[in-house]
């Protein structure tokens, strides 16, 4: 599967981020957020939480809000989200590593289903993109980064061409879900590789800092 390119605020071209900013992430991260209780895949229910994008996560610092397009909230509604609150932010580690975060908090009936639905929607969306320039590789893979053992976390690799050279550029889509929050985190570098482990570690750091008790 392939995705189209997008120039970010930093002037970089990041192929897969076009779909995220096109409303996909806002929709898919809340696909499983409903006002129902549940306990699936051993994910503990530790009560209501909210998300507040932190000023820093790992070695990256927040650079502003993600530029979600008109219609993004309607995308959320189309997934049947009830009383969900969405958040988003951009992050950068100097001029080399960049990330976009789109999340939601509410009530997640089945964290594993929420994550699976997100990646299924991602694959379906990129399959319909006629301007694809970046390719999704492999299958979504469940990971367990330190500090996120109480959530379902899954990542998938995408590969395209970097803006600064013709060398392959890797982007990792990672998503977490627990019983009250869900987040899609898209991590890439200006050029070269970004490993699944690195992206999962950043996702866990961001979740840890962003997830706060609701009361």
């Amino acid at each position: 599967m392939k995705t189209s390119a997008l120039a970010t605020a930093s002037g970089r071209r990041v192929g897969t981020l076009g779909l995220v900013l096109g409303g996909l992430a806002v929709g898919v991260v809340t696909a499983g957020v409903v006002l129902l209780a549940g306990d699936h895949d051993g994910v503990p229910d530790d009560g209501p939480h909210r998300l507040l994008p932190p000023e820093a996560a790992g070695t990256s610092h927040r650079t502003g809000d993600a530029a979600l397009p008109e219609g993004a909230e309607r995308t959320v509604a189309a997934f049947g989200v009830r009383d969900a609150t969405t958040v988003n932010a951009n992050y950068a580690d100097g001029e080399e590593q960049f990330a976009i975060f789109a999340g939601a908090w509410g009530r997640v009936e089945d964290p594993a289903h929420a994550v699976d639905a997100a990646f299924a929607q991602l694959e379906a969306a990129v399959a319909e993109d006629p301007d694809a320039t970046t390719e999704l590789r492999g299958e979504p893979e469940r990971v367990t980064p330190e500090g996120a053992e109480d959530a379902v976390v899954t990542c998938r690799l995408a590969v395209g061409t970097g803006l600064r050279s013709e060398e392959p550029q890797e982007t990792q889509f990672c998503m977490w879900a627990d019983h009250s929050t869900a987040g899609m985190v898209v991590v890439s570098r200006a050029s070269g590789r970004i490993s699944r482990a690195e992206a999962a570690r950043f996702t866990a750091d961001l979740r840890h800092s962003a997830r706060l008790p609701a009361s």
Side-chain angles (χ1 to χ4, degrees):
M1 300 296 178
K2 297 183 178 180
T3 65
S4 59
L6 174 78
T8 68
S10 64
R12 297 167 53 253
R13 184 182 66 196
V14 183
T16 48
L17 298 191
L19 290 170
V20 177
L21 294 185
L24 175 64
V26 177
V28 299
V29 297
T30 55
V33 178
V34 294
L35 299 179
L36 297 172
D39 187 9
H40 300 267
D41 280 355
V43 176
D45 187 347
D46 57 352
H49 285 73
R50 60 190 176 93
L51 291 175
L52 179 65
E55 291 304 310
T59 59
S60 294
H61 294 271
R62 184 175 179 178
T63 59
D65 295 335
L68 298 177
E70 182 180 359
E73 292 303 322
R74 292 195 297 274
T75 302
V76 175
F79 278 88
V81 180
R82 300 175 184 176
D83 295 342
T85 301
T86 60
V87 296
N88 62 83
N90 291 327
Y91 291 88
D93 182 356
E95 292 295 322
E96 290 302 317
Q97 181 169 302
F98 302 85
I100 288 180
F101 164 53
W105 51 278
R107 186 66 186 164
V108 183
E109 177 187 13
D110 186 337
H113 175 74
V115 172
D116 290 345
F119 281 99
Q121 178 63 21
L122 172 63
E123 185 164 349
V126 300
E128 298 170 358
D129 184 356
D131 300 317
T133 59
T134 301
E135 183 178 2
L136 290 175
R137 296 281 181 87
E139 298 294 329
E141 181 176 324
R142 180 91 172 255
V143 294
T144 310
E146 183 179 356
E149 296 88 352
D150 57 344
V152 175
V153 184
T154 297
C155 297
R156 187 170 186 181
L157 173 67
V159 179
T161 302
L163 182 62
R164 297 178 182 175
S165 72
E166 294 302 313
E167 294 297 318
Q169 177 190 26
E170 295 188 354
T171 298
Q172 293 280 354
F173 281 88
C174 292
M175 181 177 170
W176 89 76
D178 51 58
H179 282 290
S180 59
T181 70
M184 180 72 83
V185 183
V186 186
V187 187
S188 63
R189 289 207 173 104
S191 62
R193 301 188 59 194
I194 177 76
S195 72
R196 179 178 285 113
E198 290 173 301
R201 174 72 266 158
F202 176 78
T203 299
D205 287 343
L206 194 152
R207 174 180 177 267
H208 176 76
S209 297
R211 190 173 183 267
L212 305 172
S215 58

